[in-house]
Amino acid sequence: MSIHYDPTNLAAAMAGSAHGITPDEVEKAAPRAAAALAGFRRSFEEGRYGFPALPFDKPVISSIAGFAKSVAGTFDTVCVVGIGGSAPGAWALDCGLRGPHPVQKAHSAKNPRLVILDNVDPVFIGNALASMNPKRTIVVPIAKSGATAETMATFLIVQAWLKEALGARKALKHIAVVTSESRGDLKQFASANKLPTFHLPDNVGGRFSVLSAVGLLPAALAGFDIKKLCRGAAAMSQLCWSRDLNANMALRSALHHYLVWTLRKKSIQVMFPYSNNLWGVAFWFRQLWAESLGKAKNRKGKTVHVGQTPVAALGATDQHSQVQLYIEGPNDKVFTFLAAGKWPAAGKIPKAKTGYDSFDYLAGQSLAKLIDAERLATAAALTANGRPNCTITVERLDEASLGALLQFFEFQTAFMGELLDIDAFDQEGVELGKRFTFGLMGRAGYETYLEEFRAYEAQRAGVKL
């Protein structure tokens, strides 16, 4: 396995007894971890949650790969229209395998770029459309419900943009849809217009969908090997079902983070990749962790208001913007470093001496050595100040490793939900805002929410502070 988990700096022996956890605490909680594994395995086998099965679904993977191959070379841009769980997974894959924008190599029919329209900022959407050639763009609207307001609004604009340039019939040849199989207006639109359509299983939520068509279709269209991606994820899945706590790194890490959180009151987790390619993973993880674990009630219906706030920081950049807070501010955080094991290029520093000490000690070394030293030094400084942290190392930044890493985090999140006795797969807290939006935009059936919003506005009008 190309993913390695090092929890050493979570230990009380390193971070101090007030902030780290002890082997005795881990051993005492091991039966709870075993129960979490058994509980999630039971829910999976009952068909309640489906993400563990995604990398094993060869017919779906092959159909996506086959479609991507059939249209390869006919476009230079893949335009994803989606929000929430429909967007960050595709970006995490693209960023992980090609690096963040704008430092990717020039896009072409052989190297299509990925443009993700994940917000309804009108300036952003206008600029994105202006940057793309409709004749060379394939558009992928993604919405599980088939009714997400932001996605539908943006898609209507993008569809009109295609029609204006290509005509109505040709425009349809530039659209492939990802949505639910049995519900939603997007599905009906796709069926009515005979569009290529790929389905998201009902038992897979958006934030757990990166290894479904939600992430795989954009990845395949961008030229990535999704079969390798899924093989890496499948290998991780097999490890994640192990009852051996030492072999099952997702369960072990979930248990460690559960103990640090609940026993040492670390209510914030900082995801700290020391690789620009892994920056997208940090943003993807932020939604996964926040939306899965932020819950008002546990499974018994008791009000708990549980949740650990995820923060994304980029090493070494954010050593110069956030680490001052992390070292000397409130000790309410746990840190997860993401490390690159093998850099594809070292970034050699010239050997020539200049006579300036701040230059010359670096001569002949490399950027790879420097960024690794920055990460190790930051971990050591945090630990010395009683700030618990762990490190996940990704040996190679390739499809198989990235698939394994994403599957690791999804299992870790599922296990954490079991440990907290909450439903990590619902999202009731998001729904009221959606309903208010529907009411404000005049959607039929949501008039009650419009009235509630008007009452809220009336209350605001009478408040002074």
Side-chain angles (χ1 to χ4, degrees):
M1 179 55 62
S2 60
I3 310 297
H4 306 285
Y5 167 62
D6 180 0
T8 305
N9 288 348
L10 296 175
M14 296 299 297
S17 59
H19 302 290
I21 55 177
T22 68
D24 287 346
E25 288 169 332
V26 174
E27 183 178 359
K28 184 178 179 180
R32 189 174 189 125
L37 173 64
F40 181 62
R41 184 66 187 252
R42 185 166 53 251
S43 295
F44 167 67
E45 290 175 348
E46 291 171 354
R48 294 178 62 196
Y49 311 126
F51 82 82
L54 294 175
F56 299 94
D57 195 339
K58 292 183 180 180
V60 168
I61 297 164
S62 294
S63 69
I64 293 171
F67 173 74
K69 185 177 180 181
S70 73
V71 298
T74 62
F75 54 85
D76 63 17
T77 299
V78 181
C79 177
V80 169
V81 181
I83 199 168
S86 299
W91 185 59
L93 293 173
D94 188 50
C95 185
L97 296 171
R98 291 196 293 200
H101 298 277
V103 297
Q104 296 181 357
K105 67 180 182 180
H107 66 280
S108 66
K110 292 184 178 180
N111 182 50
R113 64 172 171 161
L114 183 65
V115 174
I116 300 177
L117 305 185
D118 62 348
N119 201 359
V120 288
D121 176 339
V123 176
F124 166 64
I125 297 299
N127 288 339
L129 293 178
S131 77
M132 298 184 290
N133 178 353
K135 296 178 181 179
R136 305 289 289 168
T137 300
I138 185 167
V139 177
V140 183
I142 304 175
K144 182 178 182 180
S145 68
T148 308
E150 299 91 340
T151 303
M152 298 304 99
T154 304
F155 177 59
L156 288 171
I157 291 171
V158 175
Q159 185 191 18
W161 172 76
L162 288 173
K163 284 182 178 180
E164 183 178 0
L166 307 173
R169 291 183 64 184
K170 285 188 177 180
L172 293 173
K173 296 183 182 297
H174 287 248
I175 302 171
V177 171
V178 178
T179 191
S180 295
E181 185 171 11
S182 57
R183 62 188 172 99
D185 288 346
L186 184 58
K187 169 63 177 177
Q188 292 187 41
F189 169 84
S191 297
N193 290 283
K194 298 180 173 58
L195 299 177
T197 305
F198 300 89
H199 299 120
L200 177 62
D202 287 340
N203 63 355
V204 176
R207 59 189 176 274
F208 289 89
S209 67
V210 64
L211 296 171
S212 73
V214 169
L216 296 184
L217 180 59
L221 291 170
F224 304 135
D225 190 331
I226 62 171
K227 293 182 180 180
K228 288 183 179 178
L229 183 76
C230 289
R231 281 200 293 269
M236 177 58 73
S237 294
Q238 291 171 340
L239 280 180
C240 291
W241 290 128
S242 172
R243 288 178 288 184
D244 181 345
L245 194 57
N246 290 318
N248 188 337
M249 70 177 94
L251 183 61
R252 188 163 83 256
S253 65
L255 179 61
H256 291 162
H257 279 82
Y258 170 77
L259 293 173
V260 167
W261 176 1
T262 58
L263 298 183
R264 303 296 182 260
K265 309 304 178 187
K266 307 305 179 188
S267 59
I268 298 170
Q269 181 175 176
V270 179
M271 180 62 63
F272 216 150
Y274 271 70
S275 163
N276 282 67
N277 282 57
L278 293 173
W279 186 224
V281 172
F283 274 82
W284 169 83
F285 173 83
R286 187 176 64 175
Q287 183 200 2
L288 178 70
W289 203 250
E291 202 166 64
S292 298
L293 304 182
K295 297 294 155 66
K297 296 181 182 294
N298 65 15
R299 284 177 170 147
K300 299 179 180 67
K302 180 182 178 182
T303 300
V304 290
H305 292 298
V306 70
Q308 187 183 50
T309 302
V311 174
L314 178 64
T317 301
D318 286 323
Q319 288 175 215
H320 299 270
S321 68
Q322 297 181 31
V323 167
Q324 171 62 33
L325 170 68
Y326 298 159
I327 294 286
E328 294 190 358
N331 197 339
D332 55 359
K333 303 169 188 71
V334 60
F335 301 83
T336 297
F337 291 100
L338 294 183
K342 295 179 182 177
W343 294 93
K348 285 290 186 180
I349 301 170
K351 293 182 179 180
K353 299 288 185 178
T354 65
Y356 300 105
D357 179 66
S358 60
F359 291 3
D360 288 349
Y361 81 98
L362 297 169
Q365 301 199 66
S366 70
L367 296 180
K369 181 178 179 181
L370 178 58
I371 197 169
D372 287 341
E374 298 269 13
R375 173 180 54 80
L376 293 168
T378 302
L382 287 167
T383 305
N385 282 273
R387 318 289 163 138
N389 59 88
C390 63
T391 299
I392 296 169
T393 301
V394 184
E395 286 298 332
R396 296 175 303 278
L397 289 175
D398 58 16
E399 285 97 338
S401 297
L402 196 56
L405 181 66
L406 297 176
Q407 194 75 335
F408 164 85
F409 282 129
E410 291 188 347
F411 267 97
Q412 181 195 45
T413 304
F415 292 146
M416 181 65 85
E418 296 292 323
L419 290 165
L420 294 167
D421 194 26
I422 59 171
D423 186 347
F425 297 88
D426 68 4
Q427 53 184 61
E428 286 302 310
V430 180
E431 298 306 314
L432 182 57
K434 289 183 179 180
R435 292 165 189 153
F436 280 147
T437 299
F438 289 149
L440 285 167
M441 296 302 289
R443 185 177 180 185
Y446 290 85
E447 294 82 3
T448 300
Y449 293 98
L450 177 59
E451 293 304 314
E452 285 188 35
F453 186 85
R454 286 173 174 165
Y456 154 79
E457 286 285 86
Q459 181 183 7
R460 276 173 48 85
V463 173
K464 292 184 179 179
L465 191 62

